[in-house]
Amino acid sequence: MLTLLGSLGSGGGNSSTEAGALAPAVGNGRKVPTSICISPPPQAIACGSAHSFFLSPGLGEETVIFGWGGNRNNALGMPRKVVSHSENGAKRQQRTLNKWDLVVHSPTTEVFNGQITQSEDVHTRKRHVVPHYFEVACGSNHSIVLEKLAGVGNDDSSMQPPQQQRRQQQHQQELVASRVWSCGFGANGQLGRPAHTEDDDRDLPAEVVLPSFPGSRVVVQRISCGADHTLAIANFVGLSAVSSSTCGRVFAWGLGSYGALGTGNWTDELVPKEVWFPEDKIYDGDDRPGMCDRNVCIVQVAAGTKHSLALGADGAIFAWGHGGNGRLGLGSKPMGGGSVAESYVTENTPQRICGIGRMKYVAAGESHSAALDQLGALFTWGNGSHGRCGHGTATDSDTPMRVEWSMAVSVSQVALGIMHSLAVTVKGQLFAWGKGPATGLDAPDNAATFSPSPVELPENLTAHQVAAGPLHTIVLMTDGSIACFGSGSEGRLPAGTAEGDDLVYTKDQTFPLRLNDCKGVVLGGHGLRDAMGNLSSPSLGDQEQTDTNPAWWPAQIFCGGSSSVMLTSTSKQKAGINVDENLWVWGSSRVTAGADTKQEPGRDLWNPSVLKRGFRSSVHKVAVGLDHCIAITGTVMCTWGDGSKGQLGTGNLSYCSHPQPLTRPADIIHIAAGDEHSACIAQGGEAYSWGCAEGGRLGLGRCLSEGFQLTPKQIQVVGSQLEGEEVLLLRDVACGSEHMAFVTENDDLLTCGMGWFGRLGKGDTNNAYSPELVKLHGVFVRDVFCGMYHTYVVDRSGMLLVTGRDSAICKTTAGHQLDFVPFEPFVEPRRSILSLATRDEHTLAITTSPETEHGSELWVWGKNTYGQLGLPPDQAPRVDWPWQLPIKGIEYNGTKVRYNLAQVATGPKHSMCLVKPRMPNAKKKSASNPRDPVIYAWGSLSCGRLGLTHQQASLKLGFQSQENTQESHHLQNHCGEYIVPPVQLNSVWKPAEERTQQPREVQRQDVARRVEGPCRSWADAQLKLWQENEDAKRQRLTERRHDVESTYRGILDEIERLWDKPAPGDYSIVEYQVRQQETRVEREYLRTLKAVGLSGASHATV
């Protein structure tokens, strides 16, 4: 919603009577807003004809600007090339050339540098070495950047806490000081600079100066670039008139051939010139010569290829420029001579679009336009070919028409290209329509889409902003990362390699592809180490699990999509020890429905409970997929959970609430579960797979590369794939989201499935429909791990090798890794892998290194949307380089215990770590020396996947006393969403006689203290309601009822008195008298109608 801030007033000023010239505003009795808050947020992304920009927040007020793509005429603002040369053996000298790279294939921060960062602020006379870019815009071959300055009278928000800065920016986006910079092609005035001299650097970034009055200054608020012209919204501050400032004034410069400047003529404007609107009035008479009334306040502008749009503070839309195909929305006009034929006229001054309601957003494309009303409804008009208007047809529309799709959704932003359109809903969903790869819809045969269709973003992320170029699209996602798609020519997409100065044409990208890290800097995630500090890990002690360990000790942990599984000791026990019930589950009801608990059907399980049903003996291996599980008990394999893609192998697509045994194959030694498929290795070395077959992920050949395999089917491995061997025995298998990896008895590696990003490690991105050998050049594979777009291999020495998507494997150079290479962060110093877990695009690893002081360390990297890396996601949405995560010290009876990091597990939204503590005298096995392992969990709290009881959750979410304020600080801000840092789970699997029970009186006091505190959120209130005693609830409700009755009884009595007929002698006006008067008026009105004989009056009754 548009918001107006500040007082309302009128202005006055100086001279100039020429239409379109600069003149101060004076009052005429009509109030004009003097300060505006522009509803649409500034654009952090922008697309030109072949170049793109992205503004990423840095530390404090700094903003990092990335740029890439076509760079003809230096539209990216790159510094000149510097070359070294020598003559006749003389000392080498450096020479600057008037030359730039024609294509920048990878995002770089060298754009718009030099001239901006080293210039001097003309207002504060201070050196600006840390720029704060506020908004960016791109034309066909020129670029404009708006820089925010610390202006006069403006409190420096950089001195405020980041939370306070964000809250302040949400309520007020008005700038009090700014500068505009331009670079690129400027033959028709696109750069807004006067005619240049011979020594003028036309292609380097330079400041655009807007005209102003003596004693005042111009503050640009927003910018927008068309193909060859630019629009800007500016405020005038410091005018010596009735008003202290006049706001929302529009300036234009550039190509004027189509009237897109709105200045009233068709000439090019080399410098900014003010645009006048129909309601603005200029006085040319004798009474007020040179004065004007500014009656229009503009809050947003949108520049298209040949036309422009402006949005007023009252929600009105103004259009001007070329009117072809009805893109101005002004309707059609009869041609001369009284002909009934219709045509579209060109307007060189702004014209109000009539017949629409109050709007909040406008967008202009190549030959069509769009707007959003206050409720988020989408209106489009103009060229309808290829379905770009989204009305389901290819016909043009000369007036705004509502898109039927928007009747069911609320749209927050819309962007238009040449033949495509995109919209972002308030929920962050991205929709597109039109034609071409820039839609991101991957339509068959490049067919046009005539109505909005959803675009799938990487990793199911949501969109924050979208920018549409002529042939490509950029999406800024809510985690701060960027997705690109569209034409791959001229460097539009950050892919490919440069070959001298020649343009390299890469393949079109028909679906969103996430833009990866830029030279070691994570997009949208700067300053992680400075913000979080230097973390360390406790020292290592030696402790191995022995046959004498208790049966209830945790042995292995597993994380699924929304559930967790823990396997207790599987070692041999003494006679009489029952270890059959050794599988514990908690989390989503899809997996935990068969647990030994009295939970209601469909309810998630928050407390770990043992799973009994379906097993006849103890479980010794488990694999957990997204929403299904596989377990081996004895020699039988059992599956349960979601079976909608055949991943259970039961022969149908049904859901199973408790484990179902599979009769074949038999004698299973290893199992693996992906998101929608499963696999296993039999004792004879054969591999079987089942579930979703899309992309060849099952390895069953090209004939089965789509659909579902409902039962386990043996994978045929051709002997010639491994240097002529006829029999190939497998010992291990790992499942990713869309691919699999196998380890042979000879420690070789085979992969199959989808090859995006090089995740198969074969040197290309092609799919493999059957397992193919991966050449590792002498590496003997110990373990293999599959993520969503990457694969890890650990060799016999513990060295980690990686392949796949660069953002998931901490790759510092541009491009994805297509074959296996050592993991760079663990090369120097050398770190060996003890345990590793990876899922989606994040990884956790336990390492050891003889060169470090600490024997074992927990490292995390990758995506951190839900806190699955143990760090607050709002501070660290992505970890670009391995970060050492500490585990809080374990205490027994007040004594801190040294510990070993034994195993780590992770799911899409949470992670766990198995820790084995030890005392200094660990060799002495006594009752006073407890050594039972403990489990730490962190990440998303939903569905109970962390295994925290409601009491634990309430404590960790910040409802405990203020003794540990540092830990609760991170949790109070996101109550009910995630838990960080790692917290220890209660050992509910421990036998009752061995648990340390807290006195009941202490428990009651803790509950009372938490319930008495104020509610910080809806989740807080629900937890308190759940914890409060029934008698206390009843007493509180009774007290509240008495309070309400005593407070409002008098008000209710007064309302009843006003409704009833007043007593005799009471002449106060009450509701009864008002009703009587309304009845009399109605009677007189009906008598009048009957008297004049109007139609229908005869039926009226008096």
Side-chain angles (χ1 to χ4, degrees), residues 397-479:
S397 174
D398 55 16
T399 56
M401 294 180 57
R402 180 168 180 169
V403 180
E404 292 186 4
W405 159 81
S406 65
M407 298 178 66
V409 298
S410 179
V411 183
S412 60
Q413 190 208 351
V414 61
L416 310 178
I418 289 183
M419 294 189 300
H420 70 290
S421 307
L422 302 105
V424 179
T425 68
V426 294
K427 294 184 178 180
Q429 298 171 305
L430 181 64
F431 288 82
W433 59 98
K435 185 178 181 179
T439 60
L441 299 176
D442 197 13
D445 300 325
N446 197 28
T449 303
F450 290 87
S451 58
S453 300
V455 179
E456 295 184 5
L457 294 176
E459 305 158 18
N460 294 323
L461 292 172
T462 55
H464 175 66
Q465 276 187 357
V466 62
L471 300 175
H472 72 295
T473 302
I474 300 178
V475 180
L476 173 59
M477 295 178 286
T478 50
D479 68 339

Side-chain angles (χ1 to χ4, degrees), residues 345-540:
V345 299
T346 297
E347 301 286 352
N348 57 16
T349 57
Q351 303 295 320
R352 179 188 289 265
I353 299 179
C354 302
I356 57 174
R358 182 171 179 173
M359 298 293 159
K360 68 174 183 179
Y361 193 92
V362 292
E366 190 269 341
S367 59
H368 65 304
S369 307
L372 305 176
D373 69 5
Q374 295 294 322
L375 298 179
L378 173 63
F379 293 79
T380 60
W381 60 96
N383 193 337
S385 62
H386 306 295
R388 71 190 79 185
C389 283
H391 297 302
T393 64
T395 58
D396 297 348
S397 174
D398 55 16
T399 56
M401 294 180 57
R402 180 168 180 169
V403 180
E404 292 186 4
W405 159 81
S406 65
M407 298 178 66
V409 298
S410 179
V411 183
S412 60
Q413 190 208 351
V414 61
L416 310 178
I418 289 183
M419 294 189 300
H420 70 290
S421 307
L422 302 105
V424 179
T425 68
V426 294
K427 294 184 178 180
Q429 298 171 305
L430 181 64
F431 288 82
W433 59 98
K435 185 178 181 179
T439 60
L441 299 176
D442 197 13
D445 300 325
N446 197 28
T449 303
F450 290 87
S451 58
S453 300
V455 179
E456 295 184 5
L457 294 176
E459 305 158 18
N460 294 323
L461 292 172
T462 55
H464 175 66
Q465 276 187 357
V466 62
L471 300 175
H472 72 295
T473 302
I474 300 178
V475 180
L476 173 59
M477 295 178 286
T478 50
D479 68 339
S481 61
I482 295 294
C484 305
F485 47 96
S487 173
S489 62
E490 298 188 67
R492 291 181 177 88
L493 304 181
T497 58
E499 300 176 2
D501 293 333
D502 297 333
L503 299 182
V504 180
Y505 290 85
T506 60
K507 186 178 179 181
D508 294 347
Q509 183 68 35
T510 57
F511 56 89
L513 185 65
R514 189 167 182 172
L515 180 61
N516 297 290
D517 302 348
C518 303
K519 296 184 179 180
V521 181
V522 180
L523 298 181
H526 305 288
L528 174 62
R529 292 185 177 273
D530 292 339
M532 298 303 299
N534 187 17
L535 305 179
S536 61
S537 174
S539 59
L540 172 71

